[in-house]
Amino acid sequence: MSDASDRSQKLPPGMVIGPDGKPCKICTAFRNWKPKTSTASMAAIAAGRLQSDQEPDTRPAYCPPDVEQLGRATWTFLHTTAAYYPERPTPNQRANMLNLLHSLPILYPCSHCASHLGEVMKTNPPDVSGQFALSRWLCERHNEVNERLGKKLFDCSKTDERWKDGPPDGSCD
């Protein structure tokens, strides 16, 4: 048996191995780390950074983001950027948006997410022709991820409501 298969057998379910062959924190949800009540945890409780009654899957606010926090923040940024993208972008705005999107498969911290996005973009290139098209393209890519993760799909006809205008009832005004 190889070292890699030995390592993967010792990993908790849901743990992702990074390109360096080590567990990847940014690619793994915090709940999959299954933290033990260790001396370090006890020290954090004593220092007031962690409540002793805190749920075991609750990530302390002072920790670096996990894959779920990073994903939510990234999608929020991308959808909001698309919501404010012009309907008639200049060639420079189109080029900048393409540069942003094409940089994600190279720079995104979770290598698994990054490579998946890179593959998706090869078969379905970003549509930066205008605000509606970009918002729709992002929503469809996000729904592909949601489907893969077993999450509810988002109604892509409501992107402006969700990311720019708020609901018609004015509850966000």
Side-chain angles (χ1 to χ4, degrees):
M1 199 177 294
S2 72
D3 287 341
S5 60
D6 282 343
R7 226 181 356 260
S8 66
Q9 288 180 348
K10 296 175 188 172
L11 294 174
M15 179 68 67
V16 176
I17 297 295
D20 60 0
K22 297 177 183 174
C24 178
K25 282 187 181 180
I26 198 68
C27 298
T28 304
F30 179 71
R31 65 180 156 13
N32 293 326
W33 281 95
K34 300 291 183 200
K36 304 175 213 165
T37 305
S38 63
T39 306
S41 297
M42 292 303 202
I45 290 168
R49 293 191 318 258
L50 186 66
Q51 301 295 317
S52 58
D53 62 347
Q54 193 170 15
E55 292 181 34
D57 290 346
T58 302
R59 186 172 183 82
Y62 57 83
C63 293
D66 70 355
V67 70
E68 292 172 345
Q69 290 172 312
L70 179 64
R72 280 190 298 271
T74 303
W75 284 120
T76 297
F77 168 71
L78 290 173
H79 286 299
T80 305
T81 300
Y84 287 88
Y85 187 71
E87 193 50 54
R88 292 189 190 104
T90 65
N92 192 43
Q93 288 169 319
R94 287 179 189 214
N96 284 329
M97 182 56 71
L98 281 173
N99 284 337
L100 171 66
L101 296 171
H102 286 293
S103 71
L104 291 171
I106 299 161
L107 299 173
Y108 199 72
C110 173
S111 58
H112 294 278
C113 302
S115 64
H116 182 262
L117 178 60
E119 291 303 313
V120 167
M121 287 173 61
K122 285 179 188 172
T123 59
N124 200 333
D127 186 345
V128 298
S129 61
Q131 185 273 330
F132 179 81
L134 178 60
S135 290
R136 184 64 159 206
W137 182 86
L138 278 169
C139 185
E140 289 169 356
R141 303 302 68 79
H142 194 166
N143 275 338
E144 289 169 2
V145 172
N146 285 342
E147 188 171 33
R148 230 179 48 251
L149 297 175
K151 294 182 177 183
K152 184 179 172 188
L153 300 184
F154 184 79
D155 179 353
C156 292
S157 70
K158 297 184 182 268
T159 56
D160 278 356
E161 180 181 321
R162 171 63 183 95
W163 304 105
K164 186 175 183 182
D165 302 326
D169 67 5
S171 60
C172 295
D173 295 341

